[in-house]
Structure formats: C-alpha cells, structure tokens
Amino acid sequence: MRFIILPSTWIYLWSLVKMLSVITQRSPLLAKIRILGAVSVRAAHSHGDHDAVPYYTKPVYYDHRTMPLPEIPYRETLSSQDTALKEKEKGPWKQLSLEDKITLYHMKFNQTYADMNKPTKEWKTVFGAVFFFFGLTGLIVWWQKLHVFPPLPHTLQDDWKAMQVRRMLDMRVGPIEGFSSKWDYEKNDWKK
C-alpha cells in the first residue's frame, strides 16, 4: 500500500515549519530553552568544552586473528623503563635479551597468536545454558500436561481402537487395496 501526499499537504507542512521557525525567532522563551530554532541547531552542532572528535571515531585497540596489526599500540602511555627500552630497541637487536623482546612485543600487542588461538571453555557455558533451558521447557510441558491440558478422549484408549478396527473389518472398508485387503477372513487373522 502506498501513501500519496498531495501538493496541498506539502504546502501546509512547509507553512507549519516556517510558522514554527518564526515563532521561535520571535519568542525569547523558546529561544532561551533552545527549541525549534536556529539557536538550537547551532547548540546541537557546537562542541563547546567537549573534545572535537567523538569517542566512537577514535581508533581502538583489539586483538583479532583477522586483523594482525591494530590501529594503535596496546600501551599508549609508557613508563620511563619502557621509553628506555624503546630507545634500546633502535640499536642492534642482538643486544636485547629475550625478556626485553617480549616486553617490547607486549607494548605493541596484548596477545600472541597462540593466545588468540587457544581454545576457550565457553562451550561449557553454552551447553549448560542449552540443557538448562531444555530442562525448564520439560518442566513447563510436564506442568501443562498435569494442570492445563484436558484428559485424553476415550477414543484414544487401546480397547476403543481395537473395537474400531474390528468394526472397520466387519464393514469391509477398502477390500481391494485398502484396510480390509490385508485381513484374512477365513483364518480371522492378518495376512502374512
């Protein structure tokens, strides 16, 4: 279903917008509380005392196997020991010990690929939650069977089904290819 907006409706809406903007320009109260006017637009787009860049546009560090080089290093603020180690890094790497190399690595990255590929135990939590909800669902179904659903009708009891089968055989229902064709009337038993 498509709605059609007539040109007269557009004209009405445009005049309403113009009227509201005129009201806000003329009304000191609405301008003071920054409703419906140019002042509110300027207030909404000004940065004031806040940082000029929103926090969600700044780069964020995260470890992921598909992104081997994060946008920023893991540690941005370095201690005096770390800055001395960074100066030492500019020289020959043979002079660095294994601990220094590991420390330099962890300044740039939080986890190694071995740490990222290490299996977690999250599957236990998932299976636990799934089995918990299966159990809860089973309890709800059991409770409904006891207290919500009516008892089964008498036509689903075994003796009633046996009487119904006997009546169908006596009426010879489907004698050629149907139900009665599988019954041997001479032996009074099912055909083998």
Side-chain angles (χ1 to χ4, degrees):
M1 177 179 226
R2 296 183 76 181
F3 294 103
I4 299 172
I5 298 178
L6 299 173
S8 60
T9 309
W10 283 110
I11 293 169
Y12 173 74
L13 289 174
W14 181 249
S15 64
L16 183 65
V17 167
K18 284 188 149 250
M19 181 184 68
L20 287 174
S21 65
V22 168
I23 288 172
T24 56
Q25 289 173 1
R26 302 282 186 225
S27 171
L29 175 65
L30 292 177
K32 191 173 192 178
I33 58 176
R34 297 178 178 176
I35 295 177
L36 298 174
V39 175
S40 64
V41 171
R42 271 184 261 130
H45 292 288
S46 69
H47 299 293
D49 296 335
H50 301 295
D51 208 1
V53 179
Y55 71 93
Y56 53 83
T57 60
K58 294 180 181 175
V60 178
Y61 177 84
Y62 60 92
D63 287 319
H64 202 273
R65 291 181 302 197
T66 59
M67 299 291 291
L69 297 173
E71 296 176 353
I72 59 172
Y74 176 62
R75 281 196 263 162
E76 291 184 15
T77 56
L78 300 176
S79 65
S80 60
Q81 294 173 346
D82 293 339
T83 53
L85 189 59
K86 285 295 255 183
E87 288 299 319
K88 193 176 174 183
E89 175 189 22
K90 294 177 183 175
W93 274 56
K94 291 185 179 181
Q95 293 177 357
L96 293 174
S97 66
L98 181 62
E99 293 82 23
D100 291 342
K101 291 176 185 177
I102 291 173
T103 306
L104 283 169
Y105 180 84
H106 284 294
M107 280 184 212
K108 182 76 174 161
F109 305 104
N110 182 26
Q111 292 181 328
T112 62
Y113 269 96
D115 292 337
M116 284 187 272
N117 292 331
K118 193 184 316 179
T120 62
K121 296 192 178 3
E122 186 181 6
W123 66 272
K124 293 179 183 179
T125 306
V126 171
F127 272 96
V130 166
F131 289 136
F132 171 77
F133 284 111
F134 277 159
L136 184 66
T137 304
L139 285 174
I140 291 170
V141 168
W142 172 74
W143 178 82
Q144 286 180 341
K145 188 173 181 179
L146 287 178
H147 301 288
V148 176
F149 298 138
L152 291 175
H154 68 281
T155 56
L156 292 178
Q157 295 174 357
D158 289 337
D159 57 344
W160 185 271
K161 287 182 190 176
M163 290 188 316
Q164 186 179 15
V165 167
R166 187 68 223 174
R167 180 168 167 80
M168 287 173 73
L169 290 173
D170 291 343
M171 291 174 61
R172 295 183 186 256
V173 173
I176 298 172
E177 292 184 2
F179 189 72
S180 296
S181 67
K182 297 172 179 66
W183 181 258
D184 190 358
Y185 287 95
E186 294 172 3
K187 296 181 182 175
N188 207 15
D189 196 9
W190 294 105
K191 292 180 182 177
K192 296 184 184 184

